[in-house]
Amino acid sequence: MTPEEFRAAGHVLVDWIADHRARVPDLPVAAQVRPGEVRDALPAHAPDQPESFADVLADLDRVVVPGVTQTQHPGFYGWFPSNASLASVLGDIASGGIGALGITWQSAPALTEVEQVVTDWLRDLCGLSPQWRGAIQDTASTACLVAMLAARERASDGSEHRGGLQALDAPLVAYTSPHAHSSVPKAVLLAGYGADNLRYVDVDPVTYAMDPEALRRAMAEDAAAGRVPAVVVAAVGTTGTTAMDPVRAIVDVAGEHGAWVHVDAAMAGSAMLLPEMRHLVDGVEGADSLAWNPHKWMGTILDTSLLYVRDVDHLVSVMSTTPSYLLASTDAEVVQYKDWGIPLGRRFRALKLWFHLRLDGVEAIRARLRRDLANARWFAEQVGAEPGWRVLAPVELQTVCVRHEPEGLDGDALDAHTLAWVEAVNATGRAFLGASRLDGRWMVRVSVGAEATEREDVEALWALLREVVAGPAA
Ligand SMILES: *Cc1c(COP(=O)(O)O)cnc(C)c1O
């Protein structure tokens, strides 16, 4: 494809994207396909000869769009807000267009330095002190794995450079909440701690936040038995209910054992942009690493996750590799992001954040987050005031956990009712919600915060929910 051919097709594609976004509210929220349907709609072999751009575009409409759950839809309340602001889409296009290779500072100095600038901008916007230095990771899952590796190496005094974990006398132990995201135990296991050395610490029965006294007991017990308390992952915004583990108390307890504290604020981290919400991360300055996802609620398109650490030298000592072909005379003066994480090559992801912040502006982003907090509170108030309905957990941010509990229904029958009505809501195509288990029973999570969701949409959702539970479908 020549630049001139790209120009012609690119204009058409940008128009298509703008039209697509404009019609998203009219599409069903949930993907409309059965397993295998998308594959079956496409040829089994790649074309030998070039096809027309019009044919490719037509397949986007015919095959791809119906095969996507429309997370940009105003009726999307599933999992978590997965916003893809159009300003950041432009940054993504620019990143692809420049086609930079990010393997070292030398390979694209601007790629490194724009990333330094935007991670510093966001650190300051979140009220974090300059002791933190950040890098973009693809996802919070990767960020957590990197943190678990850094913690492992600190607790084992650089065991990777000797016999590794296999030569340690005492096992390293990791601690987290049973409500932590599944990526946390995954990272602990992948980093080699072993399932036997992963402790799920008790939580408060009402708030679902980690109980720091239970953490203290668990760490003391391990230490007394000759094991090494190595790392605690504090979930700031758990997956199920957005519970807030108390960071300050966790940092204090972990400090008694010199354990690393990683704060997983993947979803809730966007709230740090709001000064009035920063009490939720009180004590974070004492943690060792912090990850959050602008690609969720804040709305910089995937894959834009931030990992901040306090001790960059330690991280680099764990991650660095310096093959001769990557050495350069400027090495002492520059940041080499390849030494801050797992991949060598990186995309120019910083442009997504740079475009998003510059084109939308921080005040508009903050206003949208505040709108969503108010919408979630409004919704929780309606549910709480309606007989037969219950809000099941504190509404810390924009997630409201609800259940419709008709008189006489409990146990498995109540579970069946819950799953039936959430499925009925999703089948309308007007809204999309997720079910999840809490205290052994199904409940429904209403995660407010799609960029397009206004108060009237939340009002429509509440009307729809009441309509569905009253109707024959439930
Ligand atoms: C979404 C989420 C994750 C995982 O995020 P990815 O970027 O998809 O890996 C981890 N932890 C929490 C608390 C989350 O909300």
Side-chain angles (χ1 to χ4, degrees):
M1 180 172 270
T2 66
E4 283 314 315
E5 287 165 346
F6 176 82
R7 186 190 312 280
H11 280 289
V12 175
L13 181 64
V14 168
D15 281 341
W16 182 88
I17 294 170
D19 289 342
H20 170 70
R21 288 298 183 95
R23 77 187 158 120
V24 160
D26 302 324
L27 297 175
V29 193
Q32 298 296 299
V33 294
R34 298 181 311 279
E37 194 175 333
V38 173
R39 288 188 69 177
D40 290 347
L42 299 174
H45 302 287
D48 287 324
Q49 299 302 321
E51 297 184 55
S52 77
F53 185 67
D55 285 351
V56 176
L57 205 59
D59 280 349
L60 283 188
D61 284 318
R62 182 179 67 90
V63 182
V64 174
V65 169
V68 171
T69 293
Q70 302 298 335
T71 52
Q72 310 311 313
H73 193 290
F76 177 72
Y77 304 93
W79 311 298
F80 48 81
S82 180
N83 290 317
S85 72
L86 286 168
S88 67
V89 171
L90 286 177
D92 211 7
I93 293 172
S95 168
I98 292 170
L101 169 65
I103 53 174
T104 63
W105 178 87
Q106 288 77 11
S107 74
L111 182 150
T112 298
E113 296 191 14
V114 174
E115 186 161 331
Q116 289 180 283
V117 167
V118 292
T119 53
D120 283 357
W121 280 1
L122 279 159
R123 173 196 66 200
D124 298 347
L125 286 169
C126 289
L128 297 166
S129 79
Q131 68 168 342
W132 297 96
R133 309 268 305 283
I136 302 175
Q137 305 280 337
D138 52 5
T139 60
S141 304
T142 303
C144 190
L145 175 58
V146 168
M148 292 311 100
L149 296 170
R152 181 190 80 191
E153 291 306 298
R154 195 175 78 180
S156 67
D157 196 20
S159 65
E160 68 177 8
H161 300 295
R162 305 188 310 273
L165 290 185
Q166 303 186 69
L168 295 186
D169 296 332
L172 308 181
V173 186
Y175 306 81
T176 195
S177 159
H179 294 261
H181 191 270
S182 59
S183 59
V184 174
K186 182 172 179 174
V188 169
L189 300 190
L190 291 177
Y193 293 78
D196 292 348
N197 303 305
L198 171 58
R199 308 271 178 270
Y200 289 110
V201 179
D202 288 346
V203 298
D204 181 285
V206 175
T207 65
Y208 300 104
M210 187 190 286
D211 174 0
E213 285 312 315
L215 175 65
R216 177 172 274 123
R217 284 194 298 275
M219 292 184 111
E221 195 176 304
D222 282 316
R227 297 180 285 263
V228 179
V231 60
V232 185
V233 180
V236 168
T238 58
T239 306
T241 69
T242 321
M244 302 288 170
D245 289 347
V247 178
R248 182 174 294 280
I250 288 170
V251 162
D252 285 349
V253 174
E256 293 166 13
H257 299 274
W260 187 284
V261 176
H262 177 63
V263 176
D264 176 16
M267 159 59 219
S270 297
M272 292 187 297
L273 291 166
L274 305 178
E276 70 272 24
M277 301 309 288
R278 289 191 195 136
H279 60 276
L280 297 175
V281 288
D282 175 52
V284 70
E285 291 292 325
D288 296 283
S289 53
L290 161 72
W292 71 279
N293 286 349
H295 71 224
K296 284 182 169 173
W297 192 15
M298 176 176 142
T300 309
I301 188 171
L302 267 162
D303 44 356
T304 315
S305 181
L306 299 177
L307 173 65
Y308 287 93
V309 296
R310 284 199 298 156
D311 186 350
V312 171
D313 290 344
H314 173 70
L315 182 63
V316 169
S317 78
V318 175
M319 296 284 162
S320 78
T321 52
T322 38
S324 56
Y325 73 98
L326 294 178
L327 295 176
S329 60
T330 44
D331 281 350
E333 301 160 57
V334 299
V335 158
Q336 299 290 15
Y337 276 128
K338 71 179 173 59
D339 297 337
W340 293 41
I342 294 165
L344 170 61
R346 61 204 295 112
R347 299 181 65 225
F348 206 154
R349 293 196 192 100
L351 288 181
K352 296 189 283 191
L353 282 167
W354 201 51
F355 274 54
H356 187 196
L357 291 168
R358 293 184 66 185
L359 295 174
D360 280 3
V362 177
E363 277 317 313
I365 294 170
R366 287 186 167 134
R368 176 164 58 76
L369 301 179
R370 291 188 174 111
R371 173 201 68 177
D372 298 339
L373 291 171
N375 284 344
R377 275 195 301 271
W378 179 87
F379 180 75
E381 278 162 24
Q382 310 310 305
V383 174
E386 186 80 4
W389 286 83
R390 203 147 72 86
V391 177
L392 300 165
V395 180
E396 300 278 9
L397 290 177
Q398 42 54 262
T399 308
V400 188
C401 298
V402 305
R403 196 154 50 214
H404 180 240
E405 300 182 340
E407 218 163 315
L409 269 194
D410 58 16
D412 292 347
L414 181 60
D415 274 351
H417 172 71
T418 304
L419 293 174
W421 74 252
V422 73
E423 200 173 307
V425 168
N426 292 346
T428 67
R430 286 150 61 194
F432 185 84
L433 308 170
S436 171
R437 286 175 84 86
L438 182 65
D439 296 333
R441 286 286 160 223
W442 286 101
M443 55 99 175
V444 176
R445 293 172 71 259
V446 178
S447 181
V448 178
E451 192 174 348
T453 305
E454 299 289 350
R455 173 64 60 86
E456 68 206 41
D457 300 302
V458 183
E459 288 169 1
L461 174 73
W462 179 223
L464 176 64
L465 262 49
R466 283 174 298 165
E467 186 188 308
V468 164
V469 301

